[in-house]
Amino acid sequence: MTCWYEGPLAAFDTETTGVDVETDRIVSAAVVVQDAPGSRPRVTRWLVNPGVPVPEAATQVHGLTDEHLQRNGRWPAPVMYEIAEVLAEQAAMNRPLVVMNAPFDLTLLDRELRRHRASSLDRWLQASALRVLDPRVLDKHLDRYRKGRRTLTDLCAHYEVTLEGAHDAAADALAALDVVRALGRRFAARLERLSPAELHSLQATWHAAQARGLQAWFARSGTDEIVDTSWPLRPDLPAAA
């Protein structure tokens, strides 16, 4: 029987105006689907005119300028509908979805759906739940004592995965997918008997523990930053009184 990391996988990634999931916007996104290792991936891309200025710092990361997005990007409302539809299709097909640092990309998509579609990601997934594989959470749990950063670039270097065109949504999605396959093979003895659904549940627990550890480190260092323990989607903020 084929292990999940040798079978069909999909991956999702975004590029954004910044790092605040509550206020920043998606400027590009991609879903990559691959039926087996080495097979040609099917890529769906979206370019978005976010309707707000793109900070220079964000442009320096992904190269997308206001002028380019205004000229070539689509309005957010139909794009968010299409992205949610594609992710719902992956869930309905029981195809695991790789998302690097899932609480960022999935929460940002949820907020965009609320902003532009008066909807939410959960509504799109009522019929079939996503089975998310987050290489960041998996790697931190399976190789927790390894020193160093764990960005996608770092994980690609560690697992000998080629990353061409970093900070392009499609390139990052494909690289994250390849990292998960490589990670699955390296830790096969610990992963091969777990289904994607079981791993999804376990990652929620692992991420919460990782977040509590980081919160404790912040407290010791005098940092006021709050670490959210939710995974793969942060809860909606309560409405202001």
Side-chain angles (χ1 to χ4, degrees), residues 45-74:
R45 304 170 183 264
W46 295 270
L47 192 65
V48 187
N49 179 353
V52 299
V54 180
E56 178 60 28
T59 296
Q60 289 179 0
V61 172
H62 50 58
L64 298 171
T65 64
D66 278 325
E67 181 182 2
H68 180 76
L69 293 170
Q70 290 168 10
R71 183 179 301 170
N72 301 288
R74 298 168 57 202

Side-chain angles (χ1 to χ4, degrees), residues 12 47 58 87 106 131 140 154 158 162 196 198 218 228 239-240:
F12 172 61
L47 192 65
L87 295 190
L106 295 182
R131 292 163 175 80
K140 288 181 73 174
D154 297 317
H158 182 71
T162 300
E198 290 170 326
F218 282 154
D228 199 311

